[in-house]
Amino acid sequence: MECFTPFGPMIARFRLPQDLVDRINAYADSQVAADRSTEFLLPAEFVTQGGEQSLVRRTASLVRRYLARAEGSPAERVDFDVFWIVSQYAGTPSPAHFHSGDVAGVLYLKVPQIDAAEEENSYIAGRQAGYINFIIGGKQRLSKSLISFKPQVGDIYLFPGWLLHVAEPFRGSGERRSMAFNAVVADDGA
Ligand SMILES: [Fe+2]
């Protein structure tokens, strides 16, 4: 049997080197609260420091690889709207949302210990607590509308900014920390 599933958006996952994860965490450690969920923007001087090894250059490289695979050619220009950190503790949801821009990304910097009993359960329709759940369209027979990924430190997901996603609140201990970004891409130098 041959099966084909040619439709729908492409999601990419890369593993970011630990040195970059450590650098972002070192900065974020000075900004997050120890006991409550927070969000804050990464300043431009942080994302651009380091020349070729800067966060912005290394992320742009991944966006180009993603576009080359998904669309056949990397973009000439990859510009970032914003990078931000999301620090969450038990009970905090990330309601279903879209991003602006063409390509969005999320990098996992810290993962919580989710209660074992909860890992065996899931929200209605299969959404997993603490996971990232990508959703498209409505539920249809023979066509998947949801995929869930368990965050792992260093994993970065790239996806179309218009793709709906949600993280349901987890029960457990520790911090769930991620970095997100929005990128605008262009081929014509415009
Ligand atoms: Fe998001």
Side-chain angles (χ1 to χ4, degrees), residues 84 97-99 106 132 159 165 180:
W84 72 99
H97 62 282
F98 312 104
H99 287 228
V106 60
I132 184 167
F159 51 94
H165 54 286

Side-chain angles (χ1 to χ4, degrees), residues 102-156:
D102 300 307
V103 176
V106 60
L107 162 70
Y108 293 98
L109 295 161
K110 291 192 175 186
V111 296
Q113 190 70 43
I114 298 174
D115 287 351
E118 186 160 276
E119 282 233 61
E120 295 171 9
N121 296 322
S122 64
Y123 287 80
I124 192 167
R127 302 188 309 279
Q128 296 282 322
Y131 287 35
I132 184 167
N133 305 279
F134 293 97
I135 302 169
I136 187 166
K139 181 175 169 59
Q140 298 184 86
R141 191 168 184 181
L142 298 173
S143 177
K144 285 190 67 165
S145 60
L146 178 143
I147 187 165
S148 297
F149 295 103
K150 183 177 184 176
Q152 304 281 352
V153 171
D155 279 356
I156 181 168

Side-chain angles (χ1 to χ4, degrees), residues 17-29:
Q18 191 64 40
D19 70 294
L20 189 51
V21 171
D22 290 343
R23 185 143 56 93
I24 301 167
N25 267 333
Y27 180 84
D29 284 343

Side-chain angles (χ1 to χ4, degrees), residues 37-53:
S37 299
T38 54
E39 290 191 27
F40 59 92
L41 297 178
L42 286 174
E45 56 266 30
F46 177 80
V47 303
T48 57
Q49 73 182 24
E52 284 295 318
Q53 298 305 310

